[in-house]
Amino acid sequence: MPRKRLNLSLSQPLYTQLQAIARRYGFGSACELGTTLLQVFAAHTLRAEAEHQQRLRQRDEDTEAYIAALFDELAGAQPTPDGTVPVTHPRRQCQ
């Protein structure tokens, strides 16, 4: 796999802390620790983004299903014309 270089400038206290952490947890160097942390961060970020997109798709599908059900319900709410003309007779009384 081709590799790319990443040029980082760290403050001396941060670099010293990273070296101590790397030694404590068995990393070869602070650079190896930093690379591992970046890999974990990238994997977590990509997974979180994928989960977010899945939630958005699911919400959109739920919304579409809700709207379709609403229209199905409303479709039977009013009678549909069957071709007959309703006839009403006035109820007047002559006096």
Side-chain angles (χ1 to χ4, degrees):
M1 165 172 60
R3 299 172 54 124
K4 296 289 183 182
R5 293 188 90 32
L6 187 63
N7 187 12
L8 296 175
S9 296
L10 303 175
S11 66
Q12 186 60 42
L14 177 59
Y15 182 72
T16 304
Q17 289 174 341
L18 289 177
Q19 281 182 319
I21 293 169
R23 277 193 303 272
R24 184 180 318 143
Y25 291 101
F27 289 94
S29 66
C31 183
E32 184 181 351
L33 171 66
T35 302
T36 303
L37 289 174
L38 287 173
Q39 287 172 344
V40 170
F41 177 74
H44 175 74
T45 303
L46 291 175
R47 185 174 53 248
E49 179 63 25
E51 290 171 356
H52 177 68
Q53 291 298 326
Q54 177 64 26
R55 282 193 302 273
L56 288 178
R57 277 193 301 275
Q58 186 175 5
R59 186 189 70 193
D60 290 344
E61 290 169 2
D62 290 345
T63 302
E64 290 173 12
Y66 171 75
I67 291 171
L70 186 62
F71 275 101
D72 286 342
E73 181 182 321
L74 292 175
Q78 294 182 352
T80 54
D82 60 357
T84 60
V85 179
V87 178
T88 59
H89 298 285
R91 298 187 178 185
R92 289 182 248 175
Q93 295 179 351
C94 294
Q95 294 183 354

mmCIF file of all heavy atoms in Angstrom, residues 54-70:
data_model
loop_
_atom_site.group_PDB
_atom_site.id
_atom_site.type_symbol
_atom_site.label_atom_id
_atom_site.label_comp_id
_atom_site.label_asym_id
_atom_site.label_seq_id
_atom_site.Cartn_x
_atom_site.Cartn_y
_atom_site.Cartn_z
ATOM 1 N N GLN A 54 -27.554 6.231 7.699
ATOM 2 C CA GLN A 54 -28.553 5.179 7.801
ATOM 3 C C GLN A 54 -29.787 5.680 8.543
ATOM 4 O O GLN A 54 -30.920 5.406 8.150
ATOM 5 C CB GLN A 54 -27.963 3.953 8.511
ATOM 6 C CG GLN A 54 -28.949 2.830 8.729
ATOM 7 C CD GLN A 54 -29.463 2.240 7.428
ATOM 8 O OE1 GLN A 54 -28.804 2.291 6.403
ATOM 9 N NE2 GLN A 54 -30.651 1.698 7.461
ATOM 10 N N ARG A 55 -29.572 6.435 9.635
ATOM 11 C CA ARG A 55 -30.706 6.989 10.379
ATOM 12 C C ARG A 55 -31.503 7.960 9.513
ATOM 13 O O ARG A 55 -32.739 7.972 9.555
ATOM 14 C CB ARG A 55 -30.224 7.685 11.652
ATOM 15 C CG ARG A 55 -29.876 6.732 12.779
ATOM 16 C CD ARG A 55 -29.703 7.480 14.096
ATOM 17 N NE ARG A 55 -28.685 8.502 14.044
ATOM 18 C CZ ARG A 55 -27.386 8.309 14.268
ATOM 19 N NH1 ARG A 55 -26.943 7.117 14.545
ATOM 20 N NH2 ARG A 55 -26.544 9.315 14.216
ATOM 21 N N LEU A 56 -30.813 8.778 8.715
ATOM 22 C CA LEU A 56 -31.505 9.712 7.830
ATOM 23 C C LEU A 56 -32.321 8.969 6.784
ATOM 24 O O LEU A 56 -33.468 9.329 6.506
ATOM 25 C CB LEU A 56 -30.502 10.646 7.136
ATOM 26 C CG LEU A 56 -29.849 11.706 8.012
ATOM 27 C CD1 LEU A 56 -28.855 12.516 7.187
ATOM 28 C CD2 LEU A 56 -30.878 12.608 8.646
ATOM 29 N N ARG A 57 -31.738 7.911 6.186
ATOM 30 C CA ARG A 57 -32.483 7.123 5.196
ATOM 31 C C ARG A 57 -33.704 6.466 5.836
ATOM 32 O O ARG A 57 -34.781 6.449 5.258
ATOM 33 C CB ARG A 57 -31.576 6.054 4.582
ATOM 34 C CG ARG A 57 -30.713 6.562 3.451
ATOM 35 C CD ARG A 57 -30.076 5.428 2.693
ATOM 36 N NE ARG A 57 -29.250 4.570 3.517
ATOM 37 C CZ ARG A 57 -27.980 4.806 3.815
ATOM 38 N NH1 ARG A 57 -27.395 5.887 3.357
ATOM 39 N NH2 ARG A 57 -27.301 3.974 4.567
ATOM 40 N N GLN A 58 -33.526 5.940 7.037
ATOM 41 C CA GLN A 58 -34.641 5.282 7.725
ATOM 42 C C GLN A 58 -35.740 6.298 8.044
ATOM 43 O O GLN A 58 -36.915 6.017 7.869
ATOM 44 C CB GLN A 58 -34.150 4.618 9.009
ATOM 45 C CG GLN A 58 -35.198 3.806 9.704
ATOM 46 C CD GLN A 58 -34.629 3.080 10.911
ATOM 47 O OE1 GLN A 58 -33.474 3.272 11.273
ATOM 48 N NE2 GLN A 58 -35.432 2.256 11.521
ATOM 49 N N ARG A 59 -35.348 7.492 8.481
ATOM 50 C CA ARG A 59 -36.330 8.533 8.772
ATOM 51 C C ARG A 59 -37.087 8.923 7.509
ATOM 52 O O ARG A 59 -38.303 9.089 7.522
ATOM 53 C CB ARG A 59 -35.651 9.754 9.378
ATOM 54 C CG ARG A 59 -36.657 10.810 9.845
ATOM 55 C CD ARG A 59 -35.984 12.072 10.243
ATOM 56 N NE ARG A 59 -35.474 12.699 9.041
ATOM 57 C CZ ARG A 59 -34.621 13.700 9.020
ATOM 58 N NH1 ARG A 59 -34.148 14.183 10.125
ATOM 59 N NH2 ARG A 59 -34.190 14.219 7.883
ATOM 60 N N ASP A 60 -36.353 9.051 6.389
ATOM 61 C CA ASP A 60 -37.000 9.391 5.127
ATOM 62 C C ASP A 60 -37.963 8.299 4.692
ATOM 63 O O ASP A 60 -39.060 8.579 4.223
ATOM 64 C CB ASP A 60 -35.961 9.630 4.036
ATOM 65 C CG ASP A 60 -35.164 10.914 4.270
ATOM 66 O OD1 ASP A 60 -35.621 11.748 5.092
ATOM 67 O OD2 ASP A 60 -34.101 11.073 3.645
ATOM 68 N N GLU A 61 -37.561 7.030 4.873
ATOM 69 C CA GLU A 61 -38.445 5.926 4.513
ATOM 70 C C GLU A 61 -39.679 5.921 5.404
ATOM 71 O O GLU A 61 -40.791 5.669 4.932
ATOM 72 C CB GLU A 61 -37.701 4.600 4.612
ATOM 73 C CG GLU A 61 -36.647 4.430 3.526
ATOM 74 C CD GLU A 61 -35.727 3.249 3.769
ATOM 75 O OE1 GLU A 61 -35.920 2.531 4.768
ATOM 76 O OE2 GLU A 61 -34.816 3.052 2.953
ATOM 77 N N ASP A 62 -39.498 6.203 6.693
ATOM 78 C CA ASP A 62 -40.632 6.264 7.610
ATOM 79 C C ASP A 62 -41.574 7.399 7.211
ATOM 80 O O ASP A 62 -42.788 7.249 7.261
ATOM 81 C CB ASP A 62 -40.163 6.465 9.058
ATOM 82 C CG ASP A 62 -39.458 5.233 9.615
ATOM 83 O OD1 ASP A 62 -39.581 4.154 8.996
ATOM 84 O OD2 ASP A 62 -38.785 5.362 10.655
ATOM 85 N N THR A 63 -41.011 8.531 6.821
ATOM 86 C CA THR A 63 -41.820 9.671 6.404
ATOM 87 C C THR A 63 -42.601 9.331 5.139
ATOM 88 O O THR A 63 -43.794 9.635 5.040
ATOM 89 C CB THR A 63 -40.926 10.904 6.160
ATOM 90 O OG1 THR A 63 -40.206 11.184 7.368
ATOM 91 C CG2 THR A 63 -41.751 12.120 5.782
ATOM 92 N N GLU A 64 -41.940 8.695 4.184
ATOM 93 C CA GLU A 64 -42.621 8.300 2.952
ATOM 94 C C GLU A 64 -43.751 7.319 3.241
ATOM 95 O O GLU A 64 -44.839 7.427 2.675
ATOM 96 C CB GLU A 64 -41.622 7.692 1.972
ATOM 97 C CG GLU A 64 -40.655 8.696 1.383
ATOM 98 C CD GLU A 64 -39.576 8.037 0.537
ATOM 99 O OE1 GLU A 64 -39.718 6.842 0.221
ATOM 100 O OE2 GLU A 64 -38.608 8.715 0.197
ATOM 101 N N ALA A 65 -43.500 6.361 4.125
ATOM 102 C CA ALA A 65 -44.532 5.383 4.475
ATOM 103 C C ALA A 65 -45.701 6.075 5.178
ATOM 104 O O ALA A 65 -46.866 5.748 4.933
ATOM 105 C CB ALA A 65 -43.941 4.296 5.365
ATOM 106 N N TYR A 66 -45.402 7.035 6.043
ATOM 107 C CA TYR A 66 -46.455 7.768 6.751
ATOM 108 C C TYR A 66 -47.329 8.545 5.764
ATOM 109 O O TYR A 66 -48.556 8.520 5.845
ATOM 110 C CB TYR A 66 -45.829 8.710 7.780
ATOM 111 C CG TYR A 66 -46.822 9.659 8.400
ATOM 112 C CD1 TYR A 66 -47.733 9.214 9.347
ATOM 113 C CD2 TYR A 66 -46.856 11.006 8.027
ATOM 114 C CE1 TYR A 66 -48.658 10.079 9.914
ATOM 115 C CE2 TYR A 66 -47.769 11.870 8.581
ATOM 116 C CZ TYR A 66 -48.660 11.409 9.533
ATOM 117 O OH TYR A 66 -49.577 12.266 10.092
ATOM 118 N N ILE A 67 -46.686 9.228 4.824
ATOM 119 C CA ILE A 67 -47.444 10.014 3.842
ATOM 120 C C ILE A 67 -48.286 9.093 2.970
ATOM 121 O O ILE A 67 -49.459 9.385 2.686
ATOM 122 C CB ILE A 67 -46.487 10.888 3.003
ATOM 123 C CG1 ILE A 67 -45.882 11.987 3.890
ATOM 124 C CG2 ILE A 67 -47.207 11.500 1.814
ATOM 125 C CD1 ILE A 67 -44.773 12.770 3.234
ATOM 126 N N ALA A 68 -47.722 7.969 2.551
ATOM 127 C CA ALA A 68 -48.486 7.028 1.726
ATOM 128 C C ALA A 68 -49.689 6.490 2.500
ATOM 129 O O ALA A 68 -50.797 6.399 1.955
ATOM 130 C CB ALA A 68 -47.581 5.879 1.280
ATOM 131 N N ALA A 69 -49.503 6.150 3.770
ATOM 132 C CA ALA A 69 -50.615 5.658 4.585
ATOM 133 C C ALA A 69 -51.666 6.742 4.775
ATOM 134 O O ALA A 69 -52.872 6.465 4.757
ATOM 135 C CB ALA A 69 -50.093 5.176 5.945
ATOM 136 N N LEU A 70 -51.243 7.973 4.945
ATOM 137 C CA LEU A 70 -52.168 9.089 5.113
ATOM 138 C C LEU A 70 -53.031 9.271 3.859
ATOM 139 O O LEU A 70 -54.248 9.416 3.953
ATOM 140 C CB LEU A 70 -51.388 10.371 5.415
ATOM 141 C CG LEU A 70 -52.174 11.615 5.759
ATOM 142 C CD1 LEU A 70 -52.977 11.389 7.032
ATOM 143 C CD2 LEU A 70 -51.251 12.794 5.942
#
